[in-house]
Amino acid sequence: MTRPIVFLTDYGYRDPFVGTCHGVIARIAPDTRVIDLTHAVPRQDVLRGAVELARSIPYMPTDAVFVAVVDPGVGSDRREVALVAGPALMVGPDNGVLSLAAETLGGVDAAVEISSEEVVLSPVSRTFHGRDVFAPAAAHLAAGMALEELGPAVDPSSLQRLEDAGVADGRVLVVNGRRLPRAGTFAELPEREPGIIVDSEGYLAIVVNHGNAATALGLAAGDAVVVESG
Amino acid sequence: MTRPIVFLTDYGYRDPFVGTCHGVIARIAPDTRVIDLTHAVPRQDVLRGAVELARSIPYMPTDAVFVAVVDPGVGSDRREVALVAGPALMVGPDNGVLSLAAETLGGVDAAVEISSEEVVLSPVSRTFHGRDVFAPAAAHLAAGMALEELGPAVDPSSLQRLEDAGVADGRVLVVNGRRLPRAGTFAELPEREPGIIVDSEGYLAIVVNHGNAATALGLAAGDAVVVESG
Amino acid sequence: MTRPIVFLTDYGYRDPFVGTCHGVIARIAPDTRVIDLTHAVPRQDVLRGAVELARSIPYMPTDAVFVAVVDPGVGSDRREVALVAGPALMVGPDNGVLSLAAETLGGVDAAVEISSEEVVLSPVSRTFHGRDVFAPAAAHLAAGMALEELGPAVDPSSLQRLEDAGVADGRVLVVNGRRLPRAGTFAELPEREPGIIVDSEGYLAIVVNHGNAATALGLAAGDAVVVESG
């Protein structure tokens, strides 16, 4: 009984990067199904990767191991993590790319830093952590390894969120194709016009001063929202 | 014992559309093999999709569930259908995209309109019926659901064929890269020159006035022919 | 118990070539996992295909059947071969595309020319041997057919190597992005400068006259090296 793996990257289709990761997975978990969600995330676009992963949640097997590799910080000291969020497991760099999907599932219940010598390929390359760290971690989880066997526990509250990661910088943001101003507080926004603030938890919030943002933007609970720097 | 699924679309590889459909299938039929025939059918090119699907038949598992999503009419009142043709099952929009493959297998034995609430995802989107209608229908069929559980029976003779769908309009058509004139009858064509007419059943026929079209075009029984508007 | 198949071609993703081969494999070996290493090898670039296949070896299942189809000579009298190299099986045209991977695994232990009527699809097309010869051969091997059932034995020493195939012709070669001169012997090279010679076994060798090529190029054992005509 293995879990399926849902695999998202910005590797594209020109190089054998994705195929190589598939091989690594097949060596460790020969019976695991791998669902290629997409490998066409724009290069290093962590936010887009995070949004696509979160949008996919309702359509993927609930017990999947989600692996997301959009990783501009590879080779730096950003951590490599695995986590539990509801029924799912997730693997990726600690740069926010997993954060929206985890929130969709109620938040992170537990997390570890991937470091076990039983898991990470040796020698680990400087730039291809998809092959050497994330694919093997996902495969071991899919094959039944317990999360804590991957490495030492990490405080879930220490995990990067997208706002922390500085992804949503800028004075104007584009939400679902509509340009919205960014303000420090509700009060700085014109009345009844939607805009964006950073709320008390550090998240971006789409708001309407004296109004309802969901109504203004035609959104319902669970709808996906794509935010881009404008 | 599940049937394999053969999957053809015009979704391309930039967006997570194909991967999302794979997830939907895996939720319903975790053990089903999915063969991605191609997702690079030119956008909304129903004829090309139909031809590629028909050409694939000799090379695909005979008991496959074929899903073809080339669907310029999504959101209109065109029907969503599932059908039996010989040993195969087929799922797609009722716009002719399944018709050539079904003919290759001897024609449609039975058909239904996909409407069961047990099958279609809710709420169904206006534009992504691959995810909400066709992928789940194919997965349920692959997992053993009977055709009639998908929805009410449809008269096979009411299903769209390509000529009905107006795909092959135009005065000149390109057949396997060669431009051929279109005529109303044999007699309108120059002698011994190949051309195209619509035959008594409403199908395009490649013909030679006072000659043999197979010989003229170097074709043998079973050869695939690609026809494009010229 | 079937072996997984690792599949590399220069077919690209626009046409249903890859998907058609998947269908052929699924008909013969319904339970075999297929790992698409890459299908974006530059068209007819045998050397690149050979290098990518060889680089993949440490990351692929050890008992895999490797199928590589980069085949500018399709339709000529070049042979279609299957071979054993260490724990792996390999299938492809006899043009050198398998040679580097086989060397990585210690060389070819046995080889056959693929010709069995039980294996090759009939009629075999002139140009699509991936579908008609290589995919069915790989699928039969994956499903347990013995190598010698594919066709008559071939002397492993008669198999094409890349140098034999004339791929590495030219006075200057580019190694990992660096232009290196080609010489007949060590002595023709400037002292302490890396260059390329053909060694006594007919292989390209990167060498430094009075020095160490690995040090000069920053390479360690097992590192991949890409050589291109400059």
Side-chain angles (χ1 to χ4, degrees), chain C residues 174-178 217 219 224-228:
Chain C
V174 181
V175 176
N176 285 0
R178 177 170 174 175
L217 295 167
L219 295 170
V225 174
V226 179
V227 181
E228 298 167 287

Side-chain angles (χ1 to χ4, degrees), chain C residues 13-221:
Chain C
Y13 300 94
R14 292 225 179 133
D15 298 289
F17 299 150
V18 171
T20 302
C21 293
H22 276 254
V24 169
I25 291 168
R27 284 168 73 101
I28 297 165
D31 298 324
T32 288
R33 180 179 196 138
V34 182
I35 297 167
D36 291 295
L37 176 56
T38 181
H39 300 291
V41 173
R43 196 155 171 66
Q44 304 199 343
D45 190 338
V46 175
L47 177 59
R48 183 75 73 86
V51 169
E52 297 293 10
L53 198 70
R55 292 171 82 159
S56 81
I57 296 286
Y59 304 105
M60 297 295 128
T62 51
D63 64 341
V65 181
F66 293 83
V67 195
V69 190
V70 184
D71 194 9
V74 66
S76 74
D77 59 359
R78 70 94 188 84
R79 297 180 295 190
E80 294 127 15
V81 295
L83 57 87
V84 181
L89 298 169
M90 299 188 182
V91 172
D94 179 21
N95 64 6
V97 72
L98 303 174
S99 61
L100 300 181
E103 287 298 318
T104 300
L105 291 167
V108 178
D109 301 311
V112 299
E113 186 164 357
I114 304 164
S115 60
S116 165
E117 292 182 3
E118 303 297 310
V119 172
V120 175
L121 301 195
S122 175
V124 64
S125 64
R126 272 174 46 88
T127 57
F128 196 177
H129 289 186
R131 178 191 68 196
D132 297 338
V133 180
F134 301 123
H140 281 292
L141 289 173
M145 184 179 273
L147 186 75
E148 54 269 27
E149 292 184 57
L150 295 179
V154 162
D155 179 357
S157 73
S158 75
L159 295 174
Q160 290 286 320
R161 292 170 175 182
L162 288 176
E163 182 61 16
D164 298 333
V167 176
D169 232 4
R171 302 291 306 168
V172 174
L173 295 169
V174 181
V175 176
N176 285 0
R178 177 170 174 175
R179 295 171 64 88
L180 299 183
R182 184 163 167 190
T185 67
F186 267 79
E188 296 174 22
L189 292 166
E191 281 204 5
R192 303 192 191 289
E193 287 295 319
I196 291 182
I197 64 169
V198 179
D199 73 13
S200 57
E201 303 215 326
Y203 284 91
L204 287 182
I206 305 170
V207 296
V208 173
N209 188 0
H210 292 283
N212 181 299
T215 305
L217 295 167
L219 295 170

Side-chain angles (χ1 to χ4, degrees), chain B residues 4 13 33 35-41 48 52 56-62, chain C residues 13-14 16 19-20 22-27 29-32 34 121 131-132:
Chain B
Y13 299 94
R33 181 179 195 137
I35 297 166
D36 290 295
L37 176 55
T38 182
H39 300 291
V41 173
R48 181 76 72 90
E52 296 293 10
S56 81
I57 296 287
Y59 304 104
M60 297 294 130
T62 50
Chain C
Y13 300 94
R14 292 225 179 133
T20 302
H22 276 254
V24 169
I25 291 168
R27 284 168 73 101
D31 298 324
T32 288
V34 182
L121 301 195
R131 178 191 68 196
D132 297 338

Side-chain angles (χ1 to χ4, degrees), chain B residues 151-186:
Chain B
V154 162
D155 179 356
S157 73
S158 75
L159 295 174
Q160 290 287 319
R161 291 172 175 181
L162 286 177
E163 182 61 18
D164 298 333
V167 176
D169 233 4
R171 303 290 306 168
V172 173
L173 296 168
V174 181
V175 177
N176 286 358
R178 178 170 173 175
R179 295 171 64 87
L180 299 182
R182 185 163 167 189
T185 68
F186 268 78

Side-chain angles (χ1 to χ4, degrees), chain A residues 4 13 33-41 48 52 56-62, chain B residues 13-16 19-20 22-27 29-32 34 121 131-132:
Chain A
Y13 300 94
R33 180 179 196 138
V34 181
I35 297 166
D36 290 296
L37 176 55
T38 181
H39 300 291
V41 172
R48 183 74 74 89
E52 297 294 9
S56 82
I57 296 286
Y59 304 104
M60 297 295 129
T62 51
Chain B
Y13 299 94
R14 291 226 179 132
D15 298 289
T20 302
H22 275 254
V24 169
I25 290 167
R27 284 168 72 103
D31 298 323
T32 288
V34 182
L121 301 195
R131 179 191 67 195
D132 298 338

Side-chain angles (χ1 to χ4, degrees), chain A residues 58-84:
Chain A
Y59 304 104
M60 297 295 129
T62 51
D63 64 341
V65 181
F66 293 84
V67 194
V69 189
V70 184
D71 194 9
V74 66
S76 74
D77 59 357
R78 69 97 188 80
R79 297 180 295 190
E80 293 129 15
V81 295
L83 58 85
V84 181

